[in-house]
Amino acid sequence: MSRKFFKKYLPSHETIRQNRFVALFGKRLHHHNLWHLHRRSVAGGVAVGLFAGLIPGSNPVQFFFAALLAIVFKVNLPVSAITTLYSNPFTIVPIYVAAYAIGAFVTGEGTGSMPQMELHLMDKSISEWIPALMDWVISLGKPLLVGICLLALLLSLVGYFVVRGGWRLYAIYEWRKRAKRRRQNNADKTR
């Protein structure tokens, strides 16, 4: 997608600076990389978002850490927050299964596949679900914790380099298309 498409929907720098919530953070949110769409800041934002998406907790917690890491590393803040949405109620179970398998492989603990799920949520009220899920996750122990950290780092690295490479390939494609169009226009003018 074109940068012009995104610029149409992103707020201007002046609008961001005048926002009363942004003003609470002072100059920390005024760095140009936090809001610009260029290869390094977007790739960094994707990497930060992929990492923060595996921080246990719901989206507000992940959004907070994505924004915090984006400010620390001076990468695109909106991209980092949006990228955390890859971990959601539909994808979190396969992600945790993969993290557990990675952690079990690295630590040598566990069988490589998750233990039988002895989690019964149907007989509990909704207010008891979160503590029951947390107890179950804690029971998985060290393999899950190590696996989540390694998977977060792996996803961040892969995401960063895929975005950088994809951006570069798109730029080369556009340059070649523009050069071909210029050659065609020059050939039409000489006829």
Side-chain angles (χ1 to χ4, degrees):
M1 294 202 170
S2 161
R3 192 183 319 188
K4 292 176 188 174
F5 172 80
F6 289 111
K7 279 190 174 186
K8 187 172 27 173
Y9 296 105
L10 288 176
S12 69
H13 294 284
E14 197 56 40
T15 305
I16 292 167
R17 284 190 180 104
Q18 291 176 355
N19 185 300
R20 63 185 172 144
F21 297 113
V22 172
L24 294 173
F25 294 97
K27 295 199 181 269
R28 288 184 197 97
L29 293 179
H30 290 185
H31 195 276
H32 64 279
N33 282 349
L34 295 175
W35 310 104
H36 278 252
L37 292 172
H38 55 78
R39 185 173 41 188
R40 192 184 74 73
S41 72
V42 171
V46 167
V48 163
L50 289 171
F51 184 84
L54 282 181
I55 293 174
S58 61
N59 278 339
V61 172
Q62 294 169 347
F63 286 162
F64 172 76
F65 282 106
L68 184 67
L69 291 171
I71 292 168
V72 168
F73 293 112
K74 293 179 177 50
V75 296
N76 194 287
L77 194 144
V79 169
S80 66
I82 290 169
T83 305
T84 63
L85 295 175
Y86 80 95
S87 69
N88 55 59
F90 300 110
T91 61
I92 199 66
V93 171
I95 290 171
Y96 273 33
V97 168
Y100 183 84
I102 292 169
F105 175 75
V106 170
T107 63
E109 295 180 19
T111 61
S113 61
M114 288 186 104
Q116 285 296 322
M117 191 167 160
E118 297 176 15
L119 180 65
H120 303 285
L121 297 177
M122 294 305 167
D123 60 341
K124 299 183 184 329
S125 68
I126 291 178
S127 64
E128 296 174 318
W129 283 16
I130 299 293
L133 282 171
M134 291 306 292
D135 290 340
W136 178 73
V137 168
I138 291 170
S139 72
L140 297 176
K142 188 176 177 182
L144 182 64
L145 182 64
V146 169
I148 286 176
C149 292
L150 290 175
L151 186 60
L153 288 172
L154 178 68
L155 287 174
S156 293
L157 285 171
V158 169
Y160 180 82
F161 288 113
V162 164
V163 170
R164 291 279 305 232
W167 196 297
R168 177 77 176 154
L169 290 174
Y170 181 75
I172 291 170
Y173 169 76
E174 286 296 318
W175 290 339
R176 289 182 179 166
K177 192 168 84 171
R178 201 174 312 137
K180 183 179 178 182
R181 197 170 43 237
R182 279 191 208 124
R183 283 192 302 270
Q184 184 66 34
N185 286 342
N186 289 340
D188 289 344
K189 288 179 183 178
T190 57
R191 288 183 191 171

